[in-house]
Amino acid sequence: MGFVENCKIDWPCVALEHASLADRTTMRVGGRVRWLLEPKDPDELQAAYRAARNSGLPVRFLGGGANIVAEDGLWSGVVIATAAMRRIFRPMPGTSEEESLSARDADVRVAMPEPAEDPRLIAWAGCTMPALVRTTKGLGLSGLEGLMGVPGHVGGGIAMNAGGSWGEIWDHLEFVRVLSPEGEFQDIAKADGAPRYRDGNLGGRFVVGAVWRLEPAPKLLVQERIREYLQHKQRVQPVTQWSAGCVFKNPNPEVSEGRSAGRLIDELGLKGLTVGDAQISERHGNFIINRGKATASDVLALMDETRERVAQASGIALEFEVKRWLREDPPETSERI
Ligand code: EPU
């Protein structure tokens, strides 16, 4: 560790030292990381990952930080963030999808087909969910409307198979490009993937980008569906407050008699419960919000307390949906959103 503590490493991309993780997560809590790397495209991402591995430091990946609570204090590792990899584009005529995903500059001299003729869309991991959905609205492509209002980046969304009552992000995927733990690119066709409930099941591989095949639809219809999803979300979830989305996965309905995690917490009267400045949302029992000055310790303690109370009352052991970045845990490469 002495080597890393005392030397500047020559990183192959933008690198920030002692960067704040609270600033990069939607819960706005947590400590700092020794090195935060921000590659701007898939090639830099690969180089950054290889350099991070060679440094001997533990590595974690960060997308939009919408599903992460990072412990307070300084974590002596490397976080590779996809925030600068925001590109979203349509495949160039005459190119394969694999080629499209690597494309960096669209050739403006080539006439693009109508979206109805080629309803595919490509996004790099750091593209935000709202940007992806807005693009489908502009092109008249249906299938991702339900993602509106889901925070985070598409990479994290695919890694954890973000979804809701409308469906899941994997539903319309054609293939996903990932970086393997050895630092190699791999393409996974949807048919070869095995996503599960809130789990892209990528086995420690990191999402670089993806291709969707969507349904051509009138733009106004896509827009209307987005509006409906958003309105519903705003009614039932604390969307404007700092949170990490749903804290727990919904339990097996056979075990919980069909009750969701939010409902179980609600039934126990736990809404409004606080630890420090962290609070169980009054609007939805499965959300913990940061009222302004919460620390990661407050949030983590409130999560444990909630889990314990549910277990005591019902015997149900809720499983975390939120990823907890504890400083001592061995990092999992796919942990991020
Ligand atoms: N409910 C309560 N009290 C509450 C919250 C919910 O009684 O405090 C009841 C509701 O009335 C409803 C049922 O529980 O009958 C289910 O609630 P809701 O429709 O809000 O959905 P959910 O199962 O709690 C899931 C996803 C959300 C997603 C919504 C909407 C999980 C863990 N959560 O929530 O995803 O936004 O459906 O599609 O799968 C996330 O992944 O971070 C997330 C928020």
Side-chain angles (χ1 to χ4, degrees), residues 106-130:
D107 186 341
V108 289
R109 294 161 302 182
V110 180
M112 293 297 286
E114 288 299 310
E117 287 168 43
D118 187 348
R120 290 175 302 164
L121 203 56
I122 301 168
W124 284 350
C127 166
T128 69
M129 306 272 201

PDB file of all heavy atoms in Angstrom, residues 106-130:
ATOM      1  N   ALA A 106     -20.540  10.145 -35.304  1.00  0.00           N
ATOM      2  CA  ALA A 106     -21.467   9.803 -36.373  1.00  0.00           C
ATOM      3  C   ALA A 106     -21.031  10.528 -37.637  1.00  0.00           C
ATOM      4  O   ALA A 106     -20.589  11.665 -37.591  1.00  0.00           O
ATOM      5  CB  ALA A 106     -22.872  10.231 -35.967  1.00  0.00           C
ATOM      6  N   ASP A 107     -21.118   9.854 -38.765  1.00  0.00           N
ATOM      7  CA  ASP A 107     -20.762  10.471 -40.036  1.00  0.00           C
ATOM      8  C   ASP A 107     -21.986  11.233 -40.544  1.00  0.00           C
ATOM      9  O   ASP A 107     -22.973  10.636 -40.967  1.00  0.00           O
ATOM     10  CB  ASP A 107     -20.351   9.375 -41.027  1.00  0.00           C
ATOM     11  CG  ASP A 107     -19.819   9.972 -42.321  1.00  0.00           C
ATOM     12  OD1 ASP A 107     -20.100  11.164 -42.577  1.00  0.00           O
ATOM     13  OD2 ASP A 107     -19.128   9.252 -43.057  1.00  0.00           O
ATOM     14  N   VAL A 108     -21.921  12.560 -40.503  1.00  0.00           N
ATOM     15  CA  VAL A 108     -23.103  13.360 -40.826  1.00  0.00           C
ATOM     16  C   VAL A 108     -23.476  13.287 -42.304  1.00  0.00           C
ATOM     17  O   VAL A 108     -24.570  13.671 -42.689  1.00  0.00           O
ATOM     18  CB  VAL A 108     -22.913  14.851 -40.436  1.00  0.00           C
ATOM     19  CG1 VAL A 108     -22.925  15.014 -38.936  1.00  0.00           C
ATOM     20  CG2 VAL A 108     -21.637  15.409 -41.050  1.00  0.00           C
ATOM     21  N   ARG A 109     -22.555  12.770 -43.140  1.00  0.00           N
ATOM     22  CA  ARG A 109     -22.870  12.702 -44.579  1.00  0.00           C
ATOM     23  C   ARG A 109     -23.790  11.534 -44.896  1.00  0.00           C
ATOM     24  O   ARG A 109     -24.363  11.446 -45.957  1.00  0.00           O
ATOM     25  CB  ARG A 109     -21.583  12.571 -45.413  1.00  0.00           C
ATOM     26  CG  ARG A 109     -20.700  13.793 -45.330  1.00  0.00           C
ATOM     27  CD  ARG A 109     -19.293  13.453 -45.757  1.00  0.00           C
ATOM     28  NE  ARG A 109     -18.740  12.379 -44.922  1.00  0.00           N
ATOM     29  CZ  ARG A 109     -17.519  11.908 -45.039  1.00  0.00           C
ATOM     30  NH1 ARG A 109     -16.718  12.362 -45.982  1.00  0.00           N
ATOM     31  NH2 ARG A 109     -17.080  10.952 -44.248  1.00  0.00           N
ATOM     32  N   VAL A 110     -23.904  10.606 -43.955  1.00  0.00           N
ATOM     33  CA  VAL A 110     -24.726   9.426 -44.221  1.00  0.00           C
ATOM     34  C   VAL A 110     -26.162   9.697 -43.783  1.00  0.00           C
ATOM     35  O   VAL A 110     -26.403  10.129 -42.664  1.00  0.00           O
ATOM     36  CB  VAL A 110     -24.185   8.211 -43.437  1.00  0.00           C
ATOM     37  CG1 VAL A 110     -25.027   6.980 -43.703  1.00  0.00           C
ATOM     38  CG2 VAL A 110     -22.733   7.964 -43.799  1.00  0.00           C
ATOM     39  N   ALA A 111     -27.101   9.490 -44.703  1.00  0.00           N
ATOM     40  CA  ALA A 111     -28.504   9.717 -44.347  1.00  0.00           C
ATOM     41  C   ALA A 111     -28.960   8.612 -43.397  1.00  0.00           C
ATOM     42  O   ALA A 111     -28.745   7.434 -43.672  1.00  0.00           O
ATOM     43  CB  ALA A 111     -29.359   9.711 -45.606  1.00  0.00           C
ATOM     44  N   MET A 112     -29.545   8.995 -42.298  1.00  0.00           N
ATOM     45  CA  MET A 112     -30.003   7.999 -41.331  1.00  0.00           C
ATOM     46  C   MET A 112     -31.382   7.490 -41.743  1.00  0.00           C
ATOM     47  O   MET A 112     -32.217   8.263 -42.195  1.00  0.00           O
ATOM     48  CB  MET A 112     -30.102   8.636 -39.934  1.00  0.00           C
ATOM     49  CG  MET A 112     -28.778   9.039 -39.343  1.00  0.00           C
ATOM     50  SD  MET A 112     -27.687   7.628 -39.068  1.00  0.00           S
ATOM     51  CE  MET A 112     -28.444   6.864 -37.641  1.00  0.00           C
ATOM     52  N   PRO A 113     -31.641   6.202 -41.568  1.00  0.00           N
ATOM     53  CA  PRO A 113     -32.979   5.693 -41.866  1.00  0.00           C
ATOM     54  C   PRO A 113     -33.989   6.234 -40.856  1.00  0.00           C
ATOM     55  O   PRO A 113     -33.623   6.651 -39.765  1.00  0.00           O
ATOM     56  CB  PRO A 113     -32.816   4.184 -41.707  1.00  0.00           C
ATOM     57  CG  PRO A 113     -31.663   4.010 -40.808  1.00  0.00           C
ATOM     58  CD  PRO A 113     -30.754   5.179 -41.016  1.00  0.00           C
ATOM     59  N   GLU A 114     -35.251   6.220 -41.223  1.00  0.00           N
ATOM     60  CA  GLU A 114     -36.300   6.600 -40.281  1.00  0.00           C
ATOM     61  C   GLU A 114     -36.256   5.640 -39.090  1.00  0.00           C
ATOM     62  O   GLU A 114     -35.955   4.453 -39.271  1.00  0.00           O
ATOM     63  CB  GLU A 114     -37.671   6.475 -40.969  1.00  0.00           C
ATOM     64  CG  GLU A 114     -37.952   7.546 -42.008  1.00  0.00           C
ATOM     65  CD  GLU A 114     -37.954   8.932 -41.382  1.00  0.00           C
ATOM     66  OE1 GLU A 114     -38.637   9.116 -40.368  1.00  0.00           O
ATOM     67  OE2 GLU A 114     -37.246   9.810 -41.915  1.00  0.00           O
ATOM     68  N   PRO A 115     -36.589   6.116 -37.882  1.00  0.00           N
ATOM     69  CA  PRO A 115     -36.595   5.220 -36.723  1.00  0.00           C
ATOM     70  C   PRO A 115     -37.475   3.992 -36.960  1.00  0.00           C
ATOM     71  O   PRO A 115     -37.171   2.899 -36.482  1.00  0.00           O
ATOM     72  CB  PRO A 115     -37.171   6.094 -35.602  1.00  0.00           C
ATOM     73  CG  PRO A 115     -36.887   7.491 -36.013  1.00  0.00           C
ATOM     74  CD  PRO A 115     -36.907   7.515 -37.510  1.00  0.00           C
ATOM     75  N   ALA A 116     -38.564   4.163 -37.750  1.00  0.00           N
ATOM     76  CA  ALA A 116     -39.454   3.020 -37.986  1.00  0.00           C
ATOM     77  C   ALA A 116     -38.753   1.931 -38.798  1.00  0.00           C
ATOM     78  O   ALA A 116     -39.042   0.747 -38.653  1.00  0.00           O
ATOM     79  CB  ALA A 116     -40.705   3.485 -38.708  1.00  0.00           C
ATOM     80  N   GLU A 117     -37.795   2.346 -39.670  1.00  0.00           N
ATOM     81  CA  GLU A 117     -37.078   1.351 -40.481  1.00  0.00           C
ATOM     82  C   GLU A 117     -36.018   0.635 -39.657  1.00  0.00           C
ATOM     83  O   GLU A 117     -35.712  -0.524 -39.905  1.00  0.00           O
ATOM     84  CB  GLU A 117     -36.365   2.040 -41.655  1.00  0.00           C
ATOM     85  CG  GLU A 117     -37.274   2.517 -42.760  1.00  0.00           C
ATOM     86  CD  GLU A 117     -36.501   3.425 -43.700  1.00  0.00           C
ATOM     87  OE1 GLU A 117     -35.340   3.105 -44.037  1.00  0.00           O
ATOM     88  OE2 GLU A 117     -37.047   4.478 -44.053  1.00  0.00           O
ATOM     89  N   ASP A 118     -35.413   1.356 -38.724  1.00  0.00           N
ATOM     90  CA  ASP A 118     -34.387   0.756 -37.877  1.00  0.00           C
ATOM     91  C   ASP A 118     -34.611   1.237 -36.439  1.00  0.00           C
ATOM     92  O   ASP A 118     -34.056   2.241 -36.008  1.00  0.00           O
ATOM     93  CB  ASP A 118     -32.984   1.164 -38.358  1.00  0.00           C
ATOM     94  CG  ASP A 118     -31.902   0.412 -37.601  1.00  0.00           C
ATOM     95  OD1 ASP A 118     -32.228  -0.233 -36.575  1.00  0.00           O
ATOM     96  OD2 ASP A 118     -30.728   0.476 -38.015  1.00  0.00           O
ATOM     97  N   PRO A 119     -35.469   0.520 -35.697  1.00  0.00           N
ATOM     98  CA  PRO A 119     -35.859   1.024 -34.367  1.00  0.00           C
ATOM     99  C   PRO A 119     -34.859   0.670 -33.269  1.00  0.00           C
ATOM    100  O   PRO A 119     -35.259   0.375 -32.149  1.00  0.00           O
ATOM    101  CB  PRO A 119     -37.210   0.333 -34.141  1.00  0.00           C
ATOM    102  CG  PRO A 119     -37.094  -0.955 -34.874  1.00  0.00           C
ATOM    103  CD  PRO A 119     -36.150  -0.741 -36.033  1.00  0.00           C
ATOM    104  N   ARG A 120     -33.565   0.709 -33.609  1.00  0.00           N
ATOM    105  CA  ARG A 120     -32.571   0.385 -32.578  1.00  0.00           C
ATOM    106  C   ARG A 120     -31.982   1.666 -31.982  1.00  0.00           C
ATOM    107  O   ARG A 120     -31.852   2.674 -32.660  1.00  0.00           O
ATOM    108  CB  ARG A 120     -31.442  -0.458 -33.169  1.00  0.00           C
ATOM    109  CG  ARG A 120     -31.872  -1.862 -33.519  1.00  0.00           C
ATOM    110  CD  ARG A 120     -30.769  -2.608 -34.203  1.00  0.00           C
ATOM    111  NE  ARG A 120     -30.332  -1.934 -35.427  1.00  0.00           N
ATOM    112  CZ  ARG A 120     -29.194  -2.187 -36.051  1.00  0.00           C
ATOM    113  NH1 ARG A 120     -28.376  -3.084 -35.585  1.00  0.00           N
ATOM    114  NH2 ARG A 120     -28.874  -1.548 -37.152  1.00  0.00           N
ATOM    115  N   LEU A 121     -31.598   1.583 -30.739  1.00  0.00           N
ATOM    116  CA  LEU A 121     -30.989   2.711 -30.056  1.00  0.00           C
ATOM    117  C   LEU A 121     -29.806   2.185 -29.254  1.00  0.00           C
ATOM    118  O   LEU A 121     -29.877   1.096 -28.683  1.00  0.00           O
ATOM    119  CB  LEU A 121     -32.034   3.329 -29.115  1.00  0.00           C
ATOM    120  CG  LEU A 121     -31.839   4.776 -28.698  1.00  0.00           C
ATOM    121  CD1 LEU A 121     -31.730   5.688 -29.919  1.00  0.00           C
ATOM    122  CD2 LEU A 121     -33.012   5.213 -27.820  1.00  0.00           C
ATOM    123  N   ILE A 122     -28.727   2.979 -29.243  1.00  0.00           N
ATOM    124  CA  ILE A 122     -27.509   2.544 -28.556  1.00  0.00           C
ATOM    125  C   ILE A 122     -27.164   3.569 -27.485  1.00  0.00           C
ATOM    126  O   ILE A 122     -27.280   4.775 -27.736  1.00  0.00           O
ATOM    127  CB  ILE A 122     -26.340   2.462 -29.557  1.00  0.00           C
ATOM    128  CG1 ILE A 122     -26.691   1.472 -30.672  1.00  0.00           C
ATOM    129  CG2 ILE A 122     -25.037   2.064 -28.868  1.00  0.00           C
ATOM    130  CD1 ILE A 122     -25.746   1.525 -31.840  1.00  0.00           C
ATOM    131  N   ALA A 123     -26.771   3.125 -26.310  1.00  0.00           N
ATOM    132  CA  ALA A 123     -26.343   4.088 -25.289  1.00  0.00           C
ATOM    133  C   ALA A 123     -25.140   3.542 -24.551  1.00  0.00           C
ATOM    134  O   ALA A 123     -25.026   2.339 -24.323  1.00  0.00           O
ATOM    135  CB  ALA A 123     -27.478   4.364 -24.307  1.00  0.00           C
ATOM    136  N   TRP A 124     -24.236   4.459 -24.209  1.00  0.00           N
ATOM    137  CA  TRP A 124     -23.117   4.085 -23.344  1.00  0.00           C
ATOM    138  C   TRP A 124     -23.610   4.084 -21.897  1.00  0.00           C
ATOM    139  O   TRP A 124     -24.630   4.700 -21.571  1.00  0.00           O
ATOM    140  CB  TRP A 124     -21.969   5.089 -23.511  1.00  0.00           C
ATOM    141  CG  TRP A 124     -21.209   4.897 -24.782  1.00  0.00           C
ATOM    142  CD1 TRP A 124     -21.304   3.868 -25.665  1.00  0.00           C
ATOM    143  CD2 TRP A 124     -20.223   5.789 -25.324  1.00  0.00           C
ATOM    144  NE1 TRP A 124     -20.437   4.051 -26.709  1.00  0.00           N
ATOM    145  CE2 TRP A 124     -19.757   5.224 -26.518  1.00  0.00           C
ATOM    146  CE3 TRP A 124     -19.676   7.004 -24.912  1.00  0.00           C
ATOM    147  CZ2 TRP A 124     -18.781   5.824 -27.308  1.00  0.00           C
ATOM    148  CZ3 TRP A 124     -18.710   7.607 -25.683  1.00  0.00           C
ATOM    149  CH2 TRP A 124     -18.256   7.024 -26.876  1.00  0.00           C
ATOM    150  N   ALA A 125     -22.801   3.451 -21.056  1.00  0.00           N
ATOM    151  CA  ALA A 125     -23.242   3.203 -19.675  1.00  0.00           C
ATOM    152  C   ALA A 125     -23.613   4.462 -18.893  1.00  0.00           C
ATOM    153  O   ALA A 125     -24.480   4.430 -18.032  1.00  0.00           O
ATOM    154  CB  ALA A 125     -22.143   2.458 -18.923  1.00  0.00           C
ATOM    155  N   GLY A 126     -22.964   5.595 -19.178  1.00  0.00           N
ATOM    156  CA  GLY A 126     -23.182   6.791 -18.371  1.00  0.00           C
ATOM    157  C   GLY A 126     -24.348   7.653 -18.830  1.00  0.00           C
ATOM    158  O   GLY A 126     -24.605   8.717 -18.258  1.00  0.00           O
ATOM    159  N   CYS A 127     -25.060   7.201 -19.864  1.00  0.00           N
ATOM    160  CA  CYS A 127     -26.250   7.927 -20.325  1.00  0.00           C
ATOM    161  C   CYS A 127     -27.299   7.843 -19.207  1.00  0.00           C
ATOM    162  O   CYS A 127     -27.500   6.785 -18.632  1.00  0.00           O
ATOM    163  CB  CYS A 127     -26.748   7.240 -21.593  1.00  0.00           C
ATOM    164  SG  CYS A 127     -28.393   7.711 -22.094  1.00  0.00           S
ATOM    165  N   THR A 128     -27.935   8.948 -18.882  1.00  0.00           N
ATOM    166  CA  THR A 128     -28.909   8.879 -17.783  1.00  0.00           C
ATOM    167  C   THR A 128     -30.213   8.263 -18.291  1.00  0.00           C
ATOM    168  O   THR A 128     -30.525   8.335 -19.478  1.00  0.00           O
ATOM    169  CB  THR A 128     -29.223  10.264 -17.193  1.00  0.00           C
ATOM    170  OG1 THR A 128     -29.956  11.020 -18.156  1.00  0.00           O
ATOM    171  CG2 THR A 128     -27.949  10.996 -16.779  1.00  0.00           C
ATOM    172  N   MET A 129     -30.959   7.676 -17.368  1.00  0.00           N
ATOM    173  CA  MET A 129     -32.253   7.078 -17.750  1.00  0.00           C
ATOM    174  C   MET A 129     -33.160   8.133 -18.389  1.00  0.00           C
ATOM    175  O   MET A 129     -33.736   7.880 -19.442  1.00  0.00           O
ATOM    176  CB  MET A 129     -32.974   6.487 -16.531  1.00  0.00           C
ATOM    177  CG  MET A 129     -32.149   5.522 -15.763  1.00  0.00           C
ATOM    178  SD  MET A 129     -32.291   3.849 -16.373  1.00  0.00           S
ATOM    179  CE  MET A 129     -31.739   3.015 -14.888  1.00  0.00           C
ATOM    180  N   PRO A 130     -33.302   9.327 -17.750  1.00  0.00           N
ATOM    181  CA  PRO A 130     -34.178  10.330 -18.378  1.00  0.00           C
ATOM    182  C   PRO A 130     -33.721  10.698 -19.786  1.00  0.00           C
ATOM    183  O   PRO A 130     -34.557  10.879 -20.678  1.00  0.00           O
ATOM    184  CB  PRO A 130     -34.075  11.536 -17.438  1.00  0.00           C
ATOM    185  CG  PRO A 130     -33.636  10.977 -16.128  1.00  0.00           C
ATOM    186  CD  PRO A 130     -32.807   9.777 -16.437  1.00  0.00           C
TER     187      PRO A 130
END
